Amino acid sequence: MTVLLDAPQIHERIVSLAAEIESDYPPDDEIHLVGVLKGGFVFMADLIRAMSARVTLDFIAVSSYQQSTRSSGEVRLLKDVDARLEGRHVIIVEDIVDTGLTLTYLQDILRARAPKSLRTACLLSKPSRRLVDVKVEYIGFTIEDKFVIGYGLDFAEKFRNLPHIAVMDET
Ligand code: IMP
Ligand code: MG
C-alpha cells in the first residue's frame, strides 16, 4: 500500500474547493449537497465543514462495484434522497469519477427532479478510464489509472477509514 495523498494535502485541497464553490453561487442562495453513499461520506463531511451556514445536505446510495476493482457498468439505486430537490441549487458529492457511469446515472435521475441548478463535486478523477463524457464541475485531484483506497474509498468494503488515499497494490 502506497500513500498517494496524505491527510494535510486532502484537507488543503478541500478548503480551496469549498471556497471556489461558495464564490460560484449568489451569497444568499442555499446550496444543497447530495452525498453519494458510501464512498462520498468522508469527503462530504470535510467539505461541509469548510463551507458556510447556507449549506443543507442529503444522501443517496448507489451500488456499481461488486467486490471487485472493475466496474460492472451497472448502477443500482439503493437509497433515494429524503427531501425534494425542486428549485434548489444541488451539488452531487462523490468520491471518485472513474468510467463516469455512476455519475451519468445520478445526474440523469436528479436532473429530472427539476433542481434550480445541478453540479457535481468529486474528490478524485481518473480521466483515462472514462467511458462516458460526464461533466464534473469540481474535481479535487486528477489521478492515474490506479485502484485507490481510503478516505471513504473501499476495497471489498474495507479501508474506508484510512485518513489518507493510498494505492492498492494489485495481487
Ligand atoms: P464509475 O461509475 O466507473 O465512474 O465508478 C464510480 C464508482 O466506482 C465510485 O463511486 C467508487 O465507488 C468506485 N470506484 C472507482 N474507482 C475506484 C477506486 O480506485 N477505488 C475505490 N472505488 C473506486
Ligand atoms: Mg462510490
Side-chain angles (χ1 to χ4, degrees):
M1 217 181 277
T2 320
V3 176
L4 185 66
L5 299 162
D6 63 25
Q9 260 177 298
I10 297 169
H11 176 73
E12 194 185 338
R13 183 67 187 118
I14 288 176
V15 167
S16 77
L17 264 185
E20 187 186 337
I21 293 170
E22 293 271 6
S23 68
D24 282 351
Y25 293 83
D28 295 329
D29 288 14
E30 276 186 14
I31 305 173
H32 190 61
L33 303 186
V34 174
V36 184
L37 296 173
K38 295 183 275 253
F41 87 104
V42 179
F43 176 37
M44 174 85 150
D46 283 347
L47 187 65
I48 55 166
R49 284 178 292 175
M51 294 179 70
S52 65
R54 61 178 168 147
V55 161
T56 57
L57 63 95
D58 206 338
F59 288 100
I60 196 165
V62 291
S63 103
S64 46
Y65 278 47
Q66 244 123 59
Q67 305 218 339
S68 149
T69 57
R70 284 176 168 252
S71 175
S72 58
E74 201 180 289
V75 184
R76 266 196 314 145
L77 183 64
L78 302 179
K79 179 219 173 292
D80 204 343
V81 290
D82 296 335
R84 289 171 64 89
L85 303 179
E86 198 181 333
R88 310 174 89 158
H89 289 299
V90 174
I91 303 180
I92 302 171
V93 179
E94 170 66 310
D95 52 0
I96 187 167
V97 50
D98 188 30
T99 63
L101 293 166
T102 305
L103 278 175
T104 300
Y105 169 82
L106 284 170
Q107 289 177 358
D108 286 349
I109 63 165
L110 298 189
R111 198 176 290 114
R113 316 273 175 87
K116 188 170 185 182
S117 67
L118 181 67
R119 289 186 179 175
T120 303
C122 276
L123 183 67
L124 304 173
S125 172
K126 280 194 246 182
S128 60
R129 297 247 317 158
R130 212 73 91 239
L131 292 177
V132 285
D133 185 22
V134 66
K135 193 167 172 189
V136 180
E137 286 81 0
Y138 306 105
I139 290 173
F141 302 91
T142 297
I143 63 169
E144 285 174 43
D145 181 13
K146 298 254 171 65
F147 195 81
V148 290
I149 51 173
Y151 198 79
L153 292 133
D154 75 305
F155 173 69
E157 294 299 326
K158 286 167 76 181
F159 311 113
R160 293 192 196 274
N161 60 316
L162 295 179
H164 52 259
I165 289 167
V167 174
M168 180 93 198
D169 305 312
E170 299 277 345
T171 48

